Amino acid sequence: MTERTKRIVGYTLWGVLLAGLIAAAVLAGSANARAREYERRLSAAYERSLAELAVNVGDIATSLKKTQVVAGERQYALLLSEIWRTSGEAASNLGQLPAGFARAAQTSAFLTQTSDFAHVLLQKVTDATPITAADMQQLYALAQSAEGLSAELQGLERRSEALADDLL
């Protein structure tokens, strides 16, 4: 091999190496951009689920408070059905949050208890069994718990939105 051929081969190898490095950098940048976009979408989905959970728990609290003043079995049955349905929706929203959600166990227990109790009372109403004072006290206690949980979830939602705004 002549000196000139060696130089051409050397420049060619450096050119190929440089082109490979540029291609790797472009691919890495593209992968990084896709990862950031995926993270943004996942974060938005979590925020949406948290917001819907907060709204559902607020709706449960409102419906539970209405049970204290409602007159008539039909209206009572409608409220209990609404509580039961909304508890299920809230549980679905809770299931879409990350595994490390701080209040997951307590929120899940509350939603299950509320849903089950509303269903039992709905059965009582449809069977024309009177609602007892103890049942009313339990509904009141659940309403108080729902209000507290709703306020806590709304606070989490505000902090989550603020954090997301800081990251963008």
Side-chain angles (χ1 to χ4, degrees):
M1 235 190 231
T2 66
E3 189 62 34
R4 182 172 184 252
T5 306
K6 286 182 183 179
R7 247 186 286 142
I8 291 174
V9 169
Y11 289 140
T12 303
L13 287 176
W14 279 110
V16 169
L17 181 62
L18 184 60
L21 287 173
I22 291 171
V26 167
L27 288 175
S30 175
N32 190 24
R34 282 193 309 267
R36 280 195 312 269
E37 176 63 18
Y38 177 74
E39 183 178 356
R40 188 191 62 76
R41 286 183 184 183
L42 191 59
S43 178
Y46 288 157
E47 285 180 37
R48 189 172 39 258
S49 293
L50 181 59
E52 290 173 5
L53 176 62
V55 167
N56 284 333
V57 171
D59 290 347
I60 291 168
T62 301
S63 295
L64 284 166
K65 286 189 281 186
K66 286 180 182 178
T67 63
Q68 301 295 308
V69 296
V70 73
E73 290 180 11
R74 187 170 194 278
Q75 289 178 329
Y76 207 72
L78 288 172
L79 278 174
L80 292 170
S81 296
E82 180 70 16
I83 292 166
W84 186 37
R85 182 190 61 77
T86 307
S87 295
E89 288 177 10
S92 176
N93 296 131
L94 181 62
Q96 295 175 22
L97 292 175
F101 179 64
R103 296 270 306 171
Q106 298 92 334
T107 303
S108 179
F110 169 77
L111 293 171
T112 300
Q113 179 185 12
T114 302
S115 176
D116 290 349
F117 191 67
H119 188 258
V120 166
L121 288 184
L122 184 58
Q123 289 297 329
K124 277 186 170 185
V125 169
T126 56
D127 294 342
T129 305
I131 303 299
T132 66
D135 293 334
M136 293 304 288
Q137 287 175 342
Q138 181 65 26
L139 284 170
Y140 180 77
L142 287 171
Q144 297 303 309
S145 295
E147 282 183 324
L149 180 59
S150 178
E152 189 174 334
L153 289 171
Q154 288 171 2
L156 285 172
E157 180 185 8
R158 282 190 296 275
R159 286 193 300 265
S160 174
E161 288 171 353
L163 180 62
D165 288 344
D166 289 345
L167 293 176
L168 296 176

